[in-house]
Amino acid sequence: MPRDAPSDTGPFDIVPVDAIRDGRATDAYFERTRTTLEHAGKNPHVVAEVTADQFPTGEFELLGGVKDAAHLLEGLPIDVDAMREGRLFDGGPVMRIEGDYLDFARYETSLLGFLSHASGCATAALDVRRAAPDSQVLSFGARHVHPSIAAMIERAALVAGLDGISHVAGGEVIGHEASGTMPHALLIAFGRGHQEDAWRAFDEAVDADVPRVALVDTYSDEKDEAIRAAETLGDRLDSVRLDTTGSRRGNFRHIIEEVRWELDLREHDDAGIFVSGGLGPNDLRDLRDVVEGFGVGGYVSNADPVDFALDIVERDGEPCAKRGKLSGAKDVYRTPDGAHHVGLASRPGPTDGERLLEPLLRDGEIVREFDIDDAARRAAADVKNVDL
Ligand SMILES: O=P(O)(O)OC[C@H]1O[C@H](OP(=O)(O)OP(=O)(O)O)[C@H](O)[C@@H]1O
């Protein structure tokens, strides 16, 4: 491995891709471990598993990060089985690796990072999706996190079933076009009292397929600005967006209902209302009957990572897990009643159970496709099947 390979980090504090690929994106103690095992002439054949909870807890989480994990381990002389991206899990392994320990030891840090962070964001995004299943929900949260992980955030949002993303480069990475209309900065650029000029210029300037969503809370009251936006754009107005700042929000639901009333009164029944700004699942449940859509940011992008660990559970064919962890290679199953089961891979699982760990790599070769829409379909099906 090229230990001193030059890396293109630019001026940013970003760990370069080649350091992730070659295993330098690791904790130092794995390097000490390799030095010691090589010194001692040891390199046991092991089974290692990535697990959050050992047993089912009743709290399901949504698996993300599998594609990146697969590419991290690609080319190593190991076999890997894993659950599919977009499946719900609750206890037991989501991934099982078999190989000589030193062939993959240094990848543990990045492997856990890929799986933990993406699964945390995907799980939060699923909370949001389930809170407003029939509303349009867009991912707005990339601005809160390091730009190097924007694609991960947006992918997690889409896997959970959110309807769109905001980050342009993140979307390019995952093959999904970003959407968005106008920030307050656009209104401010035209000046206080000139909101009409901004909405009109936007309508004249942007492509016809961009929805005409007027931001209506910049300087004046939401009701007043919504009426003015409707009068300015007429039937061309698709929606108004209320991003009302917390200090002015008061009774947000009442403000929204008032805007709805005034738009309907002026025969703008077709104009939708879109809301954003610090929203989470409880807000979506409260407001979903009075708006058409939501922008949700920090609730998804700032989610805690899932607490995955990688543990060796078999060493040279013998059960060996440390205290607190379960020895032996395991499988996990989903039964028709929606329950999650953990059992030894060497023993039969539930007769009606679907085995959830499937081949991901065979002798280092990826043996699976990674499609975001397929993952989102799996998540939607699991949500129906599992008692969340
Ligand atoms: O609050 P979150 O759920 O994390 O979503 C992100 C928020 O960031 C933006 O607000 P901001 O006030 O920054 O918009 P502006 O830049 O147009 O003022 C956007 O309009 C959302 O409200």
Side-chain angles (χ1 to χ4, degrees), residues 31-43 102 106:
E31 299 195 332
R32 307 291 105 77
T33 298
R34 179 173 59 178
T35 302
T36 304
L37 288 176
E38 284 175 351
H39 169 80
K42 288 188 182 298
N43 187 11
L102 286 179
R106 65 186 176 280

Side-chain angles (χ1 to χ4, degrees), residues 137-182:
V137 184
L138 306 180
S139 168
F140 275 10
R143 63 182 53 204
H144 298 301
V145 296
H146 197 290
S148 63
I149 62 167
M152 179 279 284
I153 301 287
E154 304 295 41
R155 185 184 185 96
L158 294 173
V159 166
L162 299 199
D163 301 291
I165 58 172
S166 66
H167 198 273
V168 174
E172 287 168 3
V173 170
I174 62 173
H176 193 106
E177 192 175 356
S179 60
T181 53
M182 62 182 73

Side-chain angles (χ1 to χ4, degrees), residues 52-305:
D53 297 298
Q54 299 301 295
F55 300 106
T57 64
E59 284 193 22
F60 282 84
E61 291 166 307
L62 188 65
L63 186 62
V66 180
K67 175 188 67 71
D68 287 348
H71 287 294
L72 176 74
L73 301 175
E74 187 177 14
L76 304 177
I78 58 175
D79 291 337
V80 181
D81 293 81
M83 288 179 56
R84 289 188 178 264
E85 180 183 38
R87 295 303 305 259
L88 289 167
F89 64 93
D90 175 23
V94 299
M95 177 175 285
R96 191 178 63 218
I97 302 172
E98 179 166 0
D100 294 344
Y101 180 60
L102 286 179
D103 284 332
F104 66 90
R106 65 186 176 280
Y107 293 94
E108 174 172 337
T109 306
S110 293
L111 175 67
L112 295 177
F114 278 137
L115 294 171
S116 300
H117 208 168
S119 298
C121 293
T123 300
L126 189 66
D127 290 346
V128 166
R129 177 71 285 169
R130 291 176 55 235
D134 302 319
S135 308
Q136 189 185 33
V137 184
L138 306 180
S139 168
F140 275 10
R143 63 182 53 204
H144 298 301
V145 296
H146 197 290
S148 63
I149 62 167
M152 179 279 284
I153 301 287
E154 304 295 41
R155 185 184 185 96
L158 294 173
V159 166
L162 299 199
D163 301 291
I165 58 172
S166 66
H167 198 273
V168 174
E172 287 168 3
V173 170
I174 62 173
H176 193 106
E177 192 175 356
S179 60
T181 53
M182 62 182 73
H184 294 99
L186 178 70
L187 281 301
I188 294 167
F190 278 82
R192 189 164 61 84
H194 296 278
Q195 292 94 316
E196 283 85 349
D197 296 336
W199 297 320
R200 197 177 295 114
F202 178 88
D203 182 37
E204 290 166 3
V206 304
D207 289 345
D209 61 349
V210 175
R212 272 46 187 168
V213 182
L215 184 55
V216 294
D217 67 357
T218 305
Y219 285 120
S220 179
D221 170 77
E222 293 83 351
K223 172 161 87 176
D224 175 56
E225 290 205 15
I227 294 168
R228 287 163 55 190
E231 287 173 347
T232 303
L233 297 185
D235 290 342
R236 298 177 61 73
L237 180 71
D238 290 304
S239 299
V240 294
R241 179 164 75 96
L242 280 61
D243 191 72
T244 311
T245 189
S247 64
R248 299 294 171 84
R249 201 163 272 189
N251 185 335
F252 198 31
R253 184 183 174 88
H254 193 281
I255 295 171
I256 295 164
E257 289 184 303
E258 214 180 312
V259 168
R260 179 76 273 156
W261 179 277
E262 299 294 338
L263 290 173
D264 291 352
L265 176 69
R266 290 164 178 79
E267 298 185 350
H268 287 284
D269 314 55
D270 290 343
I273 299 179
F274 196 87
V275 296
S276 58
L279 303 178
N282 291 339
D283 304 298
L284 270 61
R285 268 186 285 274
D286 286 348
L287 301 174
R288 65 189 181 190
D289 61 320
V290 291
V291 303
E292 278 63 45
F294 300 93
V296 177
Y299 187 85
V300 172
S301 63
N302 304 356
D304 286 340

